[in-house]
Amino acid sequence: MNTNTQSEHSTSDDPALGTVVVNLMKGVVYRDLNPDVWQQLEELHARVIDYVAVMGLNLIVDEAEGYAYLKQVSDEERSVPKLIARRPLSFPISLLCVLLRKKMVEQDAGGGEARLILTREQIVEMMRVFLPDRANEARLFDQIDTYINKVAEFGFLKKLNTNPPAWEVRRIIKALVDADWLADFNEKLKVYRDHAESSV
Amino acid sequence: MRTHPSWRLLQADSAPLIISFLYKSFILTNKRSIAAETLATQLDDYLHHLRETTGEKRFPRKGRDYLNDWASGEQGYLRKYYPAASVGDEPLFDLTPSTEKVIEWISGFEQKQFVGTESRLLTVFRLLSEIASDTETDPQQRIDRLEQEKAKLEQEIASLKSGHIMPHDPTRVKEKFLQAEDTARQLLSDFRQVEENFRHLDRDVRERITTASSGKGKMLDDIFSEQDAITESDQGRSFKAFWSWLMSRASQDELQATLEKVLALPEVQSLQHDELLSRIRFRLLEAGEKVNSTCAQLVEQLRRYLDDQAWLENRRIMEIVREIEQSAIAVRQSPPADKLFTTLSLNKPALEMPMSRGLFRPASRPVISETPEEGEADFDTTALYTQHYVDERALLARIRFALQSRPQISLAELVKLHPVEKGLSEVVAYLHIASESDHALVDSDSSEEIIWHDAQGRQKEAVMPVVIFTR
C-alpha cells in the first residue's frame, strides 16, 4: 500500500471506502455476487482493517472461497461494546446448520459441482431422520420450512429463482459453523443426552 | 458393459424418444447446454406432437419430470448442473459423452452419400509416416527423407513451370471434403468427452487425497505435486495447445480463408452438406470456451480443497458430525425443548438507530368532496379497451416463416409450431388475418381442433373451420 495516497485522502471523503464498509456492515461480501465491491475491498484492504478496528471489528477475507465478513474482536481487554450479537439457536435449527455443513464437506470431497444446491425435499429427507415421529407429515414439512427460512436469514441458504425453488448452501457457512463450534455443540448435546438417559 | 451408460440408454424402453429428442435439441442445433426450463418446454411440445400424431398414450408425464429422470444418477443420459453464480441460478442440461456416442452411432445408420476409402487410407499412411519421421533419431535418415521430399517438390515445380497443370479430381475433392466434415463433427462431439475427462481427473485427485492417511508433510508434498495435475495431464496439455492455436488471430484468419475457398468449390457446393463447416470457427470457440471454463473452475475448486488447513478441518468436522448425528438419533423422541440451545455469532453487525425510526404521524383520511367533471376524449380510446393485445404483425411473421419450408400450412399445424400464447384472442386474430388475406382459405365445410394452454396451464380447445394459409 502506498502511504502517500493514504494521507492525501481523509477517511471521510473517500466514497469507495464508505461503499466497502457499508457493504460489510450489511453482511457477507461475495466476490461472485458483488465483483465491484470486492475489487474496491482488495484495493482498500489495509484501510478497511484500520477503519473497522475502531468499532472492535476484524475484517476476515477468504481469498480462496471468495468472501469477506466482519468479526467481533474476541480480545477481552478491549472494552468496546459488542456490535455483533450472538444469536440464540434452537436445537433443530442448530442441527440443520450441522447437516448443511456436513453436506458441504461431502460436496468438496466429491468434486465436480461448484455450487451446493439442495431441493426442499432433499433438506426434508436430511432432517426427518432426526426429528420425532409425527403422524402429520404436512406439519413436519411446515416446520422444516420455518427452520429453512431461519437459516436463510443467517445467510447460509439462498433461495434460487428456479422452478421448483431450490436452495443454495452459501460457502460462508464454512466460516461460522466451524470445527470449534461443532465441537461445542457436540459437547452440549452429549451432556443433554446423558441427562435425558439418566432421568428415564 | 451392461453397466455402461451408452448400453443402458440403448436398452431403455423409451430409447427412441430420448435419442430423437436429444438429437433434435442438442446435435441439430449444436447447443452445448440448454437451460432447464427451455428444454422442458421443448420436450413438452415434442411429447404433445407425438401424442397428436401417433395417438400414443405412453408418455403421460411432464417434460420436466422426464428430464430429471434422465439426468438422475442411475440413468445419467444428461448432465444437470448449475452454472457459476454470476451467470444465473437456473440449472442447465448438457449431454453426457456416452449419450452423445449413442446418438452419433445411430445417426451413422443413415446411408452415406458415398464412403471414401482412398482419402482415409492416405490419412492413415500420412500419420504413420509422420510418426516415423518425427521419432527418427538418425540424422542421416531424416536428411535422406527431406531430400526425397525436396526432389519431389522440385519435380512438381518444374512440371508447373513447363505449363503442365494437372486437373484436380472432383471425386477426390468430394471425398476429402466429406472426411473433413466428419472429422470436424467428431471433434466437436469430443469436447464433451474432454470436459468429462477433466472432471474424472478432478475426482481422482480428490479421492486420493481424502483416502491418503499419510502425515502432514507427506500430504503437503502430494498436494503440491497434484496442484497442477489437471492442467499438466496429457489431456490438459493437448487442450491447451488446441486453445492457443484457436486463439491466435493468424490461424483463425487462415482457417477462415481456407474454408471460404473450399466452400466455393463447385464440387463442394454440389454436395449436400450442412452449414457445420462454414461456422466451425464459432462452434469450436464456443465448445472450447465451455471446456476452458469448466477446467478453470475445477482447478480453482481443487486448490481450495487442497488448502491443508481446510483439509484437516474437514476431517475433524466429519468426525464431530458423526458423533452429533449419533447423539441426535439417541435423543430423537425427546429433543431439547429450549429455544436457546446454542448461539451463533453472525457475520453481520446489528445496528439499530433510534433516529431512523419514524415518529408517530396520525394517518390521514382523505375525503373527496368534489365531484369530478366528466371529460370528453379527444383521442382514440379503443386502445384502452383492447386489453388482450395480440400483435398481428408477429403472427403474420410466423405464417411467413412457416411457409418458407412448405407451400401451405393449416392453422392447427401452425399452432403446433408456435404454441398459442395469448389464448382465444390470438386464435381469433389468426382468423382475422385469414379473412382479410388473399392467400388464405377458410373451409367452413370441415373443422379442426385448435389446442392451447392458458396461463394456469389448463388445456383449452376450440373447434373451428379449417384455415389454410398459402404462399
Side-chain angles (χ1 to χ4, degrees):
Chain A
M1 272 286 147
N2 192 335
T3 42
N4 280 339
T5 48
Q6 277 191 23
S7 54
E8 274 169 26
H9 292 281
S10 85
T11 306
S12 58
D13 65 7
D14 189 345
L17 181 64
T19 309
V20 174
V21 172
V22 169
N23 270 289
L24 284 166
M25 294 291 275
K26 289 186 142 191
V28 185
V29 171
Y30 286 95
R31 177 170 46 209
D32 58 348
L33 293 184
N34 219 338
D36 299 345
V37 175
W38 184 266
Q39 205 198 331
Q40 287 175 340
L41 172 66
E42 280 182 332
E43 284 164 15
L44 300 169
H45 193 232
R47 294 182 60 197
V48 174
I49 290 181
D50 290 347
Y51 190 89
V52 298
V54 176
M55 296 182 280
L57 300 173
N58 245 344
L59 171 67
I60 314 280
V61 179
D62 193 322
E63 284 284 344
E65 297 284 2
Y67 56 67
Y69 62 99
L70 297 173
K71 199 176 169 188
Q72 188 78 49
V73 175
S74 54
D75 196 349
E76 294 297 327
E77 288 161 32
R78 297 191 48 177
S79 52
V80 182
K82 288 206 175 354
L83 258 180
I84 300 181
R86 294 192 74 87
R87 293 279 290 269
L89 299 188
S90 70
F91 175 69
I93 291 176
S94 320
L95 196 61
L96 179 55
C97 291
V98 172
L99 296 173
L100 292 175
R101 184 70 183 86
K102 179 188 170 200
K103 277 272 176 212
M104 185 148 277
V105 174
E106 285 173 349
Q107 159 124 344
D108 283 353
E113 298 302 321
R115 302 165 75 185
L116 172 52
I117 287 163
L118 300 171
T119 61
R120 176 168 174 259
E121 282 65 40
Q122 281 170 309
I123 298 179
V124 168
E125 275 317 302
M126 199 170 84
M127 278 295 280
R128 71 187 304 167
V129 190
F130 301 101
L131 296 179
D133 290 325
R134 234 187 273 275
N136 188 346
E137 284 228 340
R139 223 184 89 86
L140 180 81
F141 268 59
D142 289 350
Q143 214 172 21
I144 292 179
D145 276 344
T146 62
Y147 302 152
I148 290 175
N149 287 331
K150 195 79 192 164
V151 174
E153 221 176 88
F154 301 160
F156 297 161
L157 284 173
K158 181 173 155 257
K159 193 173 197 165
L160 295 186
N161 256 335
T162 52
N163 183 22
W167 298 89
E168 174 171 9
V169 186
R170 300 297 288 169
R171 301 198 68 87
I172 188 70
I173 196 173
K174 285 183 77 171
L176 301 179
V177 181
D178 57 6
D180 291 340
W181 186 88
L182 287 166
D184 188 46
F185 178 70
N186 189 24
E187 280 312 308
K188 278 204 175 99
L189 188 57
K190 267 189 198 153
V191 171
Y192 175 83
R193 183 183 170 183
D194 290 345
H195 167 77
E197 279 168 2
S198 63
S199 62
V200 169
Chain B
M1 192 176 81
R2 281 179 197 285
T3 55
H4 193 280
S6 297
W7 183 262
R8 277 207 311 262
L9 172 55
L10 284 169
Q11 275 192 318
D13 284 343
S14 45
L17 167 76
I18 304 174
I19 294 169
S20 60
F21 174 67
L22 296 181
Y23 173 74
K24 249 173 67 119
S25 314
F26 284 92
I27 307 290
L28 271 188
T29 56
N30 248 309
K31 289 263 168 53
R32 303 315 295 178
S33 51
I34 300 177
E37 256 332 83
T38 319
L39 193 63
T41 317
Q42 284 176 15
L43 182 54
D44 277 332
D45 286 352
Y46 192 62
L47 291 174
H48 182 77
H49 171 77
L50 280 184
R51 283 180 214 120
E52 284 287 297
T53 49
T54 63
E56 280 198 64
K57 298 267 179 282
R58 276 183 56 200
F59 306 108
R61 287 159 66 199
K62 283 273 213 192
R64 191 200 295 148
D65 298 338
Y66 285 111
L67 290 177
N68 283 333
D69 252 19
W70 298 346
S72 68
E74 69 219 62
Q75 320 272 356
Y77 308 142
L78 285 172
R79 194 170 87 85
K80 184 182 185 180
Y81 66 102
Y82 287 85
S86 50
V87 180
D89 287 343
E90 198 184 344
L92 303 177
F93 280 108
D94 193 2
L95 291 182
T96 60
S98 48
T99 305
E100 179 148 22
K101 272 201 198 85
V102 170
I103 296 178
E104 205 177 299
W105 184 63
I106 290 194
S107 46
F109 289 1
E110 224 175 300
Q111 195 91 42
K112 287 258 172 72
Q113 277 173 302
F114 80 94
V115 182
T117 41
E118 191 207 359
S119 62
R120 275 175 217 228
L121 176 66
L122 291 179
T123 310
V124 170
F125 190 68
R126 205 192 62 235
L127 288 174
L128 289 176
S129 62
E130 265 176 26
I131 299 173
S133 70
D134 283 354
T135 50
E136 181 58 64
T137 47
D138 178 4
Q140 192 52 47
Q141 291 261 11
R142 287 180 90 150
I143 292 169
D144 286 351
R145 258 196 82 84
L146 289 173
E147 289 289 349
Q148 259 179 31
E149 276 171 36
K150 197 170 121 192
K152 221 163 138 193
L153 284 174
E154 272 165 358
Q155 210 183 341
E156 209 179 315
I157 293 171
S159 92
L160 279 174
K161 274 188 178 156
S162 64
H164 266 289
I165 298 169
M166 285 278 284
H168 61 257
D169 178 353
T171 313
R172 202 177 276 179
V173 171
K174 282 186 201 166
E175 189 181 332
K176 280 188 177 162
F177 181 79
L178 287 176
Q179 201 196 351
E181 211 182 40
D182 252 14
T183 312
R185 193 170 289 123
Q186 272 167 24
L187 178 63
L188 276 177
S189 84
D190 282 347
F191 277 100
R192 287 206 171 88
Q193 190 66 54
V194 172
E195 231 188 284
E196 180 75 13
N197 289 358
F198 278 133
R199 266 195 289 277
H200 261 296
L201 278 171
D202 175 60
R203 257 196 301 275
D204 284 355
V205 173
R206 280 168 202 252
E207 211 166 278
R208 277 171 52 195
I209 290 169
T210 330
T211 50
S213 50
S214 41
K216 193 178 168 194
K218 175 80 179 61
M219 196 197 77
L220 279 176
D221 248 15
D222 284 352
I223 286 169
F224 287 116
S225 61
E226 298 287 4
Q227 187 103 353
D228 297 317
I230 290 183
T231 38
E232 286 303 313
S233 63
D234 279 351
Q235 184 85 82
R237 281 190 222 199
S238 165
F239 181 73
K240 221 157 52 185
F242 158 82
W243 188 247
S244 56
W245 185 89
L246 193 63
M247 284 326 265
S248 99
R249 185 84 233 170
S251 43
Q252 279 207 33
D253 288 347
E254 193 191 331
L255 175 64
Q256 189 60 19
T258 317
L259 265 175
E260 275 166 18
K261 210 165 149 191
V262 170
L263 289 171
L265 289 173
E267 291 87 0
V268 171
Q269 294 204 324
S270 76
L271 283 173
Q272 270 188 355
H273 64 87
D274 52 26
E275 41 86 81
L276 175 87
L277 267 179
S278 55
R279 298 189 50 81
I280 189 80
R281 214 154 52 107
F282 306 107
R283 295 275 149 76
L284 285 176
L285 276 174
E286 203 180 327
E289 174 60 38
K290 180 144 181 275
V291 176
N292 228 1
S293 68
T294 306
C295 188
Q297 187 198 320
L298 288 176
V299 169
E300 171 66 23
Q301 278 171 260
L302 193 59
R303 184 159 302 148
R304 201 150 72 188
Y305 181 62
L306 289 181
D307 182 349
D308 66 321
Q309 226 177 324
W311 183 79
L312 290 174
E313 166 134 346
N314 279 351
R315 281 197 149 186
R316 192 166 153 225
I317 283 176
M318 284 316 269
E319 276 165 31
I320 303 173
V321 167
R322 261 189 287 276
E323 282 185 28
I324 292 179
E325 283 180 339
Q326 280 172 12
S327 301
I329 295 259
V331 300
R332 185 178 167 196
Q333 294 307 338
S334 55
D338 312 349
K339 273 269 172 245
L340 198 165
F341 190 75
T342 49
T343 57
L344 186 66
S345 179
L346 288 180
N347 39 68
K348 200 156 73 179
L351 285 186
E352 225 186 339
M353 296 190 216
M355 293 314 287
S356 67
R357 293 187 196 163
L359 295 174
F360 173 75
R361 222 176 11 182
S364 64
R365 289 189 195 79
V367 179
I368 299 167
S369 53
E370 284 177 45
T371 42
E373 279 174 50
E374 205 171 315
E376 227 169 89
D378 52 358
F379 59 90
D380 183 11
T381 53
T382 48
L384 283 174
Y385 300 105
T386 47
Q387 294 273 343
H388 286 276
Y389 178 67
V390 179
D391 188 355
E392 286 205 359
R393 272 177 311 178
L395 302 186
L396 276 168
R398 283 182 193 172
I399 297 169
R400 267 201 303 276
F401 180 74
L403 288 176
Q404 275 175 6
S405 54
R406 69 201 89 197
Q408 61 173 50
I409 186 165
S410 75
L411 183 53
E413 284 172 77
L414 189 66
V415 165
K416 250 178 246 160
L417 286 178
H418 302 276
V420 172
E421 290 156 3
K422 302 232 165 77
L424 187 60
S425 36
E426 190 171 326
V427 179
V428 174
Y430 275 121
L431 212 54
H432 181 234
I433 293 173
S435 66
E436 290 200 335
S437 164
D438 294 328
H439 297 283
L441 188 96
V442 182
D443 180 4
S444 344
D445 291 333
S446 41
S447 61
E448 63 183 354
E449 200 176 37
I450 310 286
I451 297 171
W452 70 90
H453 292 90
D454 67 8
Q456 280 80 42
R458 284 188 297 252
Q459 183 167 313
K460 302 266 182 178
E461 43 208 41
V463 178
M464 52 193 276
V466 172
V467 177
I468 292 167
F469 298 99
T470 58
R471 274 187 192 157

